Amino acid sequence: MASQDTVQAVGGESLTGVRKHLLIDGNLITTERTITSIDPATEGVVGYAPDAGVEETEVAIAAARRAFDTTDWSTNVEFRIHCLDQLHKALLDNIEELRELTITEVGATRMLTHANQLAAPIEIVRYYADLLRTYPLREEMGEIEVRGQQHRRWVEKEAAGVVAAITAYNYPNQLALAKLAPALAAGCTVVLKGSPDTPLITLALGELIARYTDIPAGVVNVLSSSDVAVGETMTTHPDVDVVTFTGSTVVGKKIMAAASGTLKRVFLELGGKSALIVLDDLEESDVAMAAMFAAFSICSHAGQGCALTTRILVPRTQHDHFAELVSANLQRITYGDPGDQGTYMGPLITERQREKVDGLVQRAVAAGATLVTGGEKVSPGFFYTPTLLAGVDPDSEIAQEEVFGPVLAMIPYDDDDHAVRIANNSAFGLSGGVMGKDEERAIAVGRRIRTGTFSINGGNYFTPDVPFGGFKQSGIGREMGTAGFEEFLETKTFAATVKS
C-alpha cells in the first residue's frame, strides 16, 4: 500500500489526519465534536469526521423537505438524468482517491475495490441513470363505460418523498449508492447517514456531489454521527416519508417499530445465515472446487458480508473429507495489509467485532463443535484467522447467529430433504447456494430454500440490474434492479370523464 504520507484523499488531503465535511443544504460544514476514524489494519488514525447531533439532523431533514416541496427536482426527469450522469463521472474521475480511502478506512482489500467495494457500486449510478431514460412513469389503462359515461384511466409513478438512508460499515460505497442512486432517480430527496466506523468514505461521496454535480441544495444531505439520537430522529421525524436501512436485524426491528408512529414506508436489508448445500452427486474434482469456493467465499472481506454462505452443508458420509479440503483451502488464504495486491483477506472492522467473533467460536467449541483450523486473533490490526468449525449442531448458536467474521460452520446431512430442513432452520432468509452435478436437481433444491437470492453452482446474482433482499428476518423490500427503483416511487391512479 502507498505510504500514508503520500496517499491522497478526495480534495487532495493526505490520508493521515483526513478531515471531511457534512453536506447539509448544499453546504460543506463541520462540527466541534468529531469521530476518530481508525485504520483496522494498523490501528492507527486515518482521520476525523464531524460528529453530527440532532440539531444538524433536523436542519438536514428540513432542507430535504424544502427541496422536495419547493423545487422541480421530483418532476424534472431530464435534469435528474443529467445530475446522475455527472455523479457517475465524478465517481470515476476520483476513483483512485476513493479506492485508497476505502482500503485504509474500511480495511477492504485492493482486489475488492475493483469489484463490490467500489468499482461495482459506481456502476449502480450508471444503471439508474439509464433506467430512468426508459422507465415508464405513466401507464394508460384505457377507457371504460360506467353508467353511460366513458372514463379514461391512467397510472402515474411519482417520487415517494424525503428518504432517510442509514448504512452499515462493511460495504459503505455499495450500501450508500444502492440507496442514493435509485432514490435520486425516482425524484426523492435524501438524508444519508454513514456508519460511525467508516464515516470518511461516505462523507467523501457527499463532497463529490457538492463539488462536481448540479444537484440542488437540500436534495442530498450526508451526515456522520455516533449519536444514537440521530438515527432515532431520522426514523421518527414527521417530514421523512421513507426509511431505508442496512444493518443488524436487532436494529432493523427497532427502526420498523419507530417508523410505525408515522406509518413511513420502510425497507430493510438485514442479517443472514446463508447455507451452501453440497449435493452427493459431485465428482471429486467438483468436490475440490466446492471446498475452495466455500473457503474463499467466507473469507471475502473477512466474512463481513450479510449474504455470504456461512454454513456449509455436506453429505454425512463425506463430512470428514470435506473438512480436510476446506481446511487446506482456508490455510492458503493470504491475509494482512489490504493495500497489497496479493492480500486476499483484510481485517475485521474493530476490536469489538473481533471479540464478538472470537467469543462465538470459543463457545461453539465448548458446545461440541470441532475447531479444524483458525480461531486465532492476529495483531497489530483486527485480524482473525480463517476458521472452520466441523460437526456443528444445526440448532447451536454458531449455526443460528450471524458471526460477521471469517468463520465457516460445517454441518452434516443425510439426504436432500434433511439438507433443506437444515438450510431453512434459520430466522434469516437472505441468500444461499447449492452445488451439484445434476443442475435440475440443484435448482429443485434451491427452489425449496426460503431466501431472497440463491446461487446455483457458483452463479453470481450481485449486479446492479438484479434485485437483492431477503425473506423472514433478513429484511423487507429490495435494493438494485427495477424493484430497487420502485421502492422509492408512489403509484397514483387518475380517471377523467371523456367529453363526447
Side-chain angles (χ1 to χ4, degrees), residues 145 391 451 468:
E145 182 180 330
T451 64
F468 177 80

Side-chain angles (χ1 to χ4, degrees), residues 29-174:
I29 65 173
T30 188
T31 61
E32 291 185 5
R33 291 194 313 161
T34 59
I35 302 168
T36 302
S37 176
I38 301 298
D39 181 340
T42 66
E43 304 181 46
V45 174
V46 179
Y48 305 91
D51 195 0
V54 171
E55 180 180 355
E56 289 87 1
T57 306
E58 290 179 339
V59 173
I61 293 171
R65 184 80 262 166
R66 186 176 62 253
F68 186 82
D69 292 341
T70 66
T71 74
D72 71 345
W73 176 258
S74 66
T75 58
N76 193 333
V77 173
E78 290 304 316
F79 182 57
R80 297 204 303 271
I81 292 171
H82 162 74
C83 290
L84 286 168
D85 286 342
Q86 286 183 319
L87 177 56
H88 182 250
K89 183 178 187 302
L91 290 165
L92 289 178
D93 289 347
N94 290 274
I95 192 169
E96 294 308 319
E97 292 85 354
L98 293 170
R99 188 187 318 283
E100 300 304 332
L101 186 53
T102 302
I103 291 168
T104 307
E105 182 177 54
V106 184
T109 61
R110 188 169 297 278
M111 181 189 311
L112 273 180
T113 65
H114 289 278
N116 290 346
Q117 280 286 4
L118 182 59
I122 289 174
E123 292 314 301
I124 296 174
V125 181
R126 172 79 279 131
Y127 170 78
Y128 282 109
D130 291 342
L131 179 65
L132 188 55
R133 288 177 163 92
T134 59
Y135 184 88
L137 292 168
R138 176 185 173 115
E139 180 184 5
E140 292 290 340
M141 304 297 292
E143 294 185 9
I144 189 171
E145 182 180 330
V146 178
R147 298 188 180 93
Q149 176 70 57
Q150 288 294 115
H151 301 263
R152 179 170 63 90
R153 296 88 40 75
W154 71 97
V155 173
E156 293 184 4
K157 300 290 184 67
E158 61 182 49
V162 175
V163 175
I166 303 172
T167 64
Y169 65 79
N170 54 332
Y171 284 82
N173 296 304
Q174 164 69 34

Side-chain angles (χ1 to χ4, degrees), residues 180-456:
L180 188 61
L184 295 179
C188 296
T189 58
V190 181
V191 179
L192 169 67
K193 188 184 89 67
S195 167
D197 290 326
T198 55
L200 297 174
I201 188 62
T202 305
L203 294 179
L205 299 178
E207 292 190 357
L208 290 179
I209 288 169
R211 291 170 176 164
Y212 300 114
T213 77
D214 295 325
I215 294 175
V219 169
V220 177
N221 306 270
V222 185
L223 306 177
S224 55
S225 179
S226 63
D227 187 350
V228 295
V230 166
E232 292 172 358
T233 300
M234 292 175 67
T235 54
T236 60
H237 200 289
D239 283 342
V240 171
D241 302 295
V242 180
V243 177
T244 171
F245 168 78
T246 298
S248 73
T249 297
V250 171
V251 176
K253 290 177 180 179
K254 293 178 180 178
I255 287 174
M256 191 170 183
S260 68
T262 48
L263 289 179
K264 301 184 192 306
R265 176 183 295 192
V266 175
F267 61 105
L268 308 167
E269 202 276 281
L270 307 176
K273 193 67 184 178
S274 304
L276 173 64
I277 301 172
V278 179
L279 298 180
D280 60 9
D281 63 352
L282 289 180
E283 297 177 355
E284 182 57 31
S285 61
D286 296 322
V287 167
M289 182 63 68
M292 183 173 68
F293 178 85
F296 279 79
S297 175
I298 194 61
C299 293
S300 176
H301 195 36
Q304 297 170 114
C306 54
L308 296 177
T309 45
T310 57
R311 296 177 291 162
I312 180 170
L313 280 51
V314 301
R316 190 177 301 278
T317 57
Q318 301 178 43
H319 175 273
D320 293 348
H321 179 48
F322 264 102
E324 291 176 1
L325 293 174
V326 173
S327 175
N329 278 287
L330 287 173
Q331 292 174 46
R332 292 170 52 201
I333 301 290
T334 56
Y335 61 88
D337 177 6
D340 190 316
Q341 292 279 12
T343 299
Y344 183 81
M345 188 183 86
L348 295 170
I349 190 66
T350 61
E351 177 60 21
R352 179 181 69 255
Q353 179 61 23
R354 183 166 67 171
E355 286 298 321
K356 175 195 170 185
V357 170
D358 189 55
L360 283 161
V361 170
Q362 300 309 319
R363 290 194 298 276
V365 173
T370 299
L371 179 61
V372 181
T373 189
E376 298 178 354
K377 295 183 281 187
V378 178
S379 298
F382 309 126
F383 295 93
Y384 199 78
T385 53
T387 301
L388 174 63
L389 294 163
V392 170
D393 182 337
D395 294 320
S396 65
E397 179 189 41
I398 198 68
Q400 294 293 321
E401 296 296 322
E402 187 172 41
V403 178
F404 239 53
V407 179
L408 185 62
M410 182 172 289
I411 304 172
Y413 72 86
D414 298 319
D415 55 28
D416 288 7
D417 290 342
H418 190 209
V420 169
R421 288 198 302 274
I422 293 172
N424 285 331
N425 177 29
S426 173
F428 302 110
L430 186 55
S431 191
V434 62
M435 289 194 164
K437 182 178 180 181
D438 182 342
E439 186 176 277
E440 290 305 312
R441 176 188 175 193
I443 293 172
V445 168
R447 287 187 172 128
R448 298 171 66 189
I449 309 301
R450 296 282 296 162
T451 64
T453 55
F454 205 82
S455 173
I456 307 296

